[in-house]
């Protein structure tokens, strides 16, 4: 089990719908999913935001999500607008939080290899399309499940189109919304 980098405890966090001024102060006491997206025109970022909003609405026990975006507020707004307007998003135009989590610039095969084409087809069949690239368009994405300052699971992206199965995150029990009231938690 790894700990979040020191910058998550001390570095200033700016964004929308944040609960504090550092990353750690924005995290709930229990599980939280940190999702590091790519640029505003990325088809896979659009797919991830859409899928996560849908899952979080359907399953009350899904952990809260804190998105990281490698750009400014106006760029993030163009990605989230109409998909998840009230999402919690940290703006990281200098990609310092990305760097601290080990998310680097992708290689040619990670950004445009054959597997990316299959991912593009999957996302397009869901109704998502490429847009105008934004800053840091070569940056790799990442997903980390945390409990306060500890990373308990991560998805290591093999390529930019490597879409995790959000419903199968280890340790997350999905309780359907229709069967349980808002105070019920998994055993």
């Amino acid at each position: 089990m790894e700990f979040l980098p020191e910058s998550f405890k001390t570095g200033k966090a700016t964004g929308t719908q944040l609960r504090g001024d550092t990353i750690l102060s924005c995290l709930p006491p229990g599980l939280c999913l940190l999702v590091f997206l790519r640029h505003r025109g990325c088809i896979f970022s659009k797919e991830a935001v859409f899928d996560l909003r849908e899952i979080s609405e359907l399953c009350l026990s899904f952990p809260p999500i804190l998105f990281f975006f490698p750009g400014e507020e106006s760029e993030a707004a163009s990605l989230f607008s109409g998909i998840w307007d009230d999402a919690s998003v940290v703006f990281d135009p200098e990609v310092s939080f990305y760097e601290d989590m080990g998310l680097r610039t992708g290689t040619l095969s990670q950004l445009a290899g054959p597997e990316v084409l299959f991912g593009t087809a999957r996302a397009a069949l869901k109704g998502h399309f490429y847009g105008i690239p934004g800053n840091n368009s070569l940056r790799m994405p990442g997903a980390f499940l945390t409990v306060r300052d500890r990373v308990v699971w991560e998805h290591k992206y093999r390529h930019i189109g490597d879409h995790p199965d959000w419903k199968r995150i280890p340790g997350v029990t999905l309780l359907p919304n229709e069967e349980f009231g808002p105070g019920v938690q998994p055993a």
Side-chain angles (χ1 to χ4, degrees):
M1 185 177 323
E2 296 179 29
F3 287 92
L4 289 172
E6 187 64 28
S7 63
F8 282 58
K9 300 171 190 169
T10 59
K12 180 131 174 73
T14 59
T16 59
Q17 307 292 330
L18 300 181
R19 300 174 1 165
D21 59 355
T22 65
I23 302 300
L24 195 57
S25 67
C26 292
L27 302 181
L31 291 173
C32 185
L33 185 61
L34 309 181
V35 179
F36 289 76
L37 300 169
R38 297 186 66 243
H39 61 90
R40 68 178 172 199
C42 178
I43 190 173
F44 307 116
S45 290
K46 294 174 187 178
E47 178 187 27
V49 171
F50 183 86
D51 289 353
L52 286 166
R53 181 192 51 82
E54 190 174 72
I55 291 168
S56 68
E57 288 175 353
L58 293 175
C59 300
L60 293 173
S61 62
F62 199 77
I65 302 162
L66 180 60
F67 290 102
F68 288 77
F69 183 77
E72 302 289 342
E73 181 176 5
S74 59
E75 292 180 70
S78 68
L79 171 65
F80 284 89
S81 179
I83 300 175
W84 198 344
D85 295 321
D86 60 346
S88 297
V89 184
V90 173
F91 309 132
D92 188 13
E94 293 83 31
V95 294
S96 57
F97 293 121
Y98 283 74
E99 287 288 331
D100 290 346
M101 292 302 285
L103 301 173
R104 309 282 187 249
T105 299
T107 64
L108 183 60
S109 64
Q110 288 176 313
L111 298 169
E115 290 178 310
V116 176
L117 296 175
F118 291 114
T120 301
R122 178 198 65 238
L125 288 172
K126 292 180 181 179
H128 305 291
F129 303 98
Y130 283 104
I132 299 169
N135 293 333
N136 301 302
S137 59
L138 304 179
R139 184 67 49 175
M140 288 296 290
F144 304 87
L145 186 65
T146 63
V147 176
R148 288 302 298 155
D149 63 345
R150 300 173 197 270
V151 177
V152 296
W153 172 85
E154 73 178 286
H155 179 73
K156 293 184 186 253
Y157 283 75
R158 295 183 327 274
H159 53 84
I160 60 173
D162 182 14
H163 191 61
D165 185 352
W166 302 113
K167 294 179 182 174
R168 296 192 188 277
I169 295 174
V172 175
T173 304
L174 299 180
L175 298 175
N177 197 9
E178 301 83 36
E179 295 179 25
F180 298 95
V184 177
Q185 295 293 316

